[in-house]
Amino acid sequence: MQPIHYSKQELIELLGQQGINVTSQRIDIARVLFAHGDHVSAEVVFDRVNRELADSRRVSKATVYNTLGLFAEKGLIRQVIADPTRVFYDPNTKPHHHFYDINSHELMDIDEADIRMQGLPSLPEGARLEGVDVVIRVSHR
Amino acid sequence: MQPIHYSKQELIELLGQQGINVTSQRIDIARVLFAHGDHVSAEVVFDRVNRELADSRRVSKATVYNTLGLFAEKGLIRQVIADPTRVFYDPNTKPHHHFYDINSHELMDIDEADIRMQGLPSLPEGARLEGVDVVIRVSHR
DNA sequence: CTTAATGCAAAGGCTTTGCAGAGAC
DNA sequence: GTCTCTGCAAAGCCTTTGCATTAAG
């Protein structure tokens, strides 16, 4: 996804629109998510947020984890399950798919239009659709 | 996948065909994988194997984990990455896809023919295709 | 005999939780 | 002032690893 450099005001609105209470940590975390636009683990978010912040405003690891979970639950970002060892978060919530490099542990977007799936199979009895994830696993050398 | 009740001889051949050295633990683990045919975590394999075995022949958790990893690497079974908290193993290695119930944490097969994907996007430069995973996430109630 | 596999317990990552203190409104 | 969030450290899972013992060929 393209990096988007939101102003503080815009971030506050964004959070508000998703029904997320606004705090300074949540603004900082949302800022780095959209300012980079890539697929990140909680660890990376933690590093990036705190690299940019004065010591007095450091965000704890617990808050990063909890906030990413909250953002995903509220639909601001989405989880990508591609690596058995960590969860990735994707600021792009529009339908699309992913390449996953099993060597470098990196995700790359695939535009939705580049994979056309013919007719979803009928869901199991009483099931509600939550999402369709296509992960194309590749290796580099 | 349909349960398959292999004889000890057949299991030995199966392992041999995949270039897996044969041991009694590996036979026992392969037996329960195919005898049930469903998608299982290492924990479940551990329980099932040891439920069926006399105490004198118990298989350790480390061996279960290492053996499942080995089987997957050798292509006897495949890993399914659908749940952020655990790896599932699938004795069905033919191309197919999965429903994942996020409430019950269970996987269900989707026949390959039920999802037709038009033309894979071209892979990133220098990348080799390792696999295509489609996971349709559903919730129950 | 020689090499590879197993079992055990300990260590390792990632993530969640409990609870006291701080911050938002 | 009340309710929610944050930080810290501890705990929890799932999984891997180190190493002495055992089994395989």
Side-chain angles (χ1 to χ4, degrees):
Chain A
M1 198 180 97
Q2 288 294 70
I4 306 175
H5 296 277
Y6 287 119
S7 68
K8 182 170 172 181
Q9 266 320 304
E10 290 171 319
L11 288 165
I12 290 174
E13 280 171 37
L14 211 52
L15 297 180
Q17 284 164 19
Q18 308 288 335
I20 299 167
N21 290 346
V22 176
T23 69
S24 69
Q25 290 86 343
R26 290 173 182 181
I27 292 172
D28 288 330
I29 291 170
R31 176 184 299 112
V32 309
L33 288 171
F34 290 100
H36 287 84
D38 55 351
H39 309 85
V40 284
S41 62
E43 184 79 28
V44 169
V45 173
F46 176 78
D47 291 342
R48 287 183 180 172
V49 166
N50 288 309
R51 193 177 309 139
E52 303 184 358
L53 260 44
D55 279 5
S56 59
R57 291 177 53 210
R58 292 188 85 257
V59 178
S60 72
K61 199 161 274 196
T63 296
V64 170
Y65 274 97
N66 292 335
T67 299
L68 290 172
L70 177 71
F71 283 3
E73 184 191 320
K74 297 291 191 179
L76 182 65
I77 60 180
R78 77 138 119 159
Q79 280 192 338
V80 181
I81 312 300
D83 181 320
T85 73
R86 51 169 85 48
V87 173
F88 286 97
Y89 292 90
D90 188 345
N92 179 5
T93 56
K94 295 199 293 287
H96 68 285
H97 307 298
H98 297 100
F99 286 117
Y100 180 63
D101 186 318
I102 63 177
N103 301 125
S104 69
H105 298 253
E106 282 176 344
L107 285 162
M108 285 184 45
D109 280 352
I110 301 173
D111 198 90
E112 192 194 17
D114 289 349
I115 297 183
R116 275 203 310 267
M117 302 204 308
Q118 302 274 40
L120 285 192
S122 49
L123 302 186
E125 168 100 20
R128 186 174 56 231
L129 181 65
E130 297 284 341
V132 178
D133 293 351
V134 178
V135 176
I136 300 183
R137 254 161 256 282
V138 301
S139 60
H140 247 87
R141 120 197 27 189
Chain B
M1 201 181 93
Q2 288 293 72
I4 305 175
H5 297 277
Y6 287 119
S7 67
K8 182 170 172 182
Q9 266 321 305
E10 289 171 320
L11 288 165
I12 290 173
E13 280 172 36
L14 211 52
L15 296 180
Q17 284 165 19
Q18 308 288 335
I20 299 167
N21 290 346
V22 176
T23 69
S24 69
Q25 290 87 342
R26 291 173 180 181
I27 292 173
D28 287 330
I29 291 170
R31 176 185 298 113
V32 309
L33 288 171
F34 290 100
H36 287 84
D38 54 352
H39 309 84
V40 284
S41 62
E43 183 79 27
V44 168
V45 173
F46 176 77
D47 290 342
R48 287 183 180 173
V49 166
N50 288 308
R51 193 178 307 138
E52 303 184 358
L53 260 44
D55 279 6
S56 59
R57 292 178 51 208
R58 292 187 86 256
V59 179
S60 73
K61 199 160 275 195
T63 297
V64 169
Y65 273 97
N66 292 335
T67 299
L68 290 172
L70 176 70
F71 284 3
E73 185 190 318
K74 296 293 191 178
L76 182 64
I77 61 180
R78 76 138 122 159
Q79 281 193 340
V80 181
I81 311 301
D83 181 320
T85 72
R86 51 170 83 47
V87 173
F88 285 96
Y89 293 90
D90 189 344
N92 180 6
T93 56
K94 295 200 292 289
H96 68 284
H97 308 299
H98 296 100
F99 286 118
Y100 180 63
D101 187 319
I102 62 177
N103 301 124
S104 68
H105 299 253
E106 282 175 345
L107 286 162
M108 284 185 45
D109 280 353
I110 301 173
D111 198 273
E112 193 193 17
D114 289 349
I115 298 182
R116 276 205 310 266
M117 304 203 310
Q118 303 270 27
L120 285 192
S122 50
L123 303 186
E125 169 99 19
R128 186 175 56 230
L129 181 65
E130 296 284 340
V132 178
D133 293 351
V134 178
V135 176
I136 300 184
R137 254 162 256 282
V138 301
S139 61
H140 248 89
R141 118 196 33 176

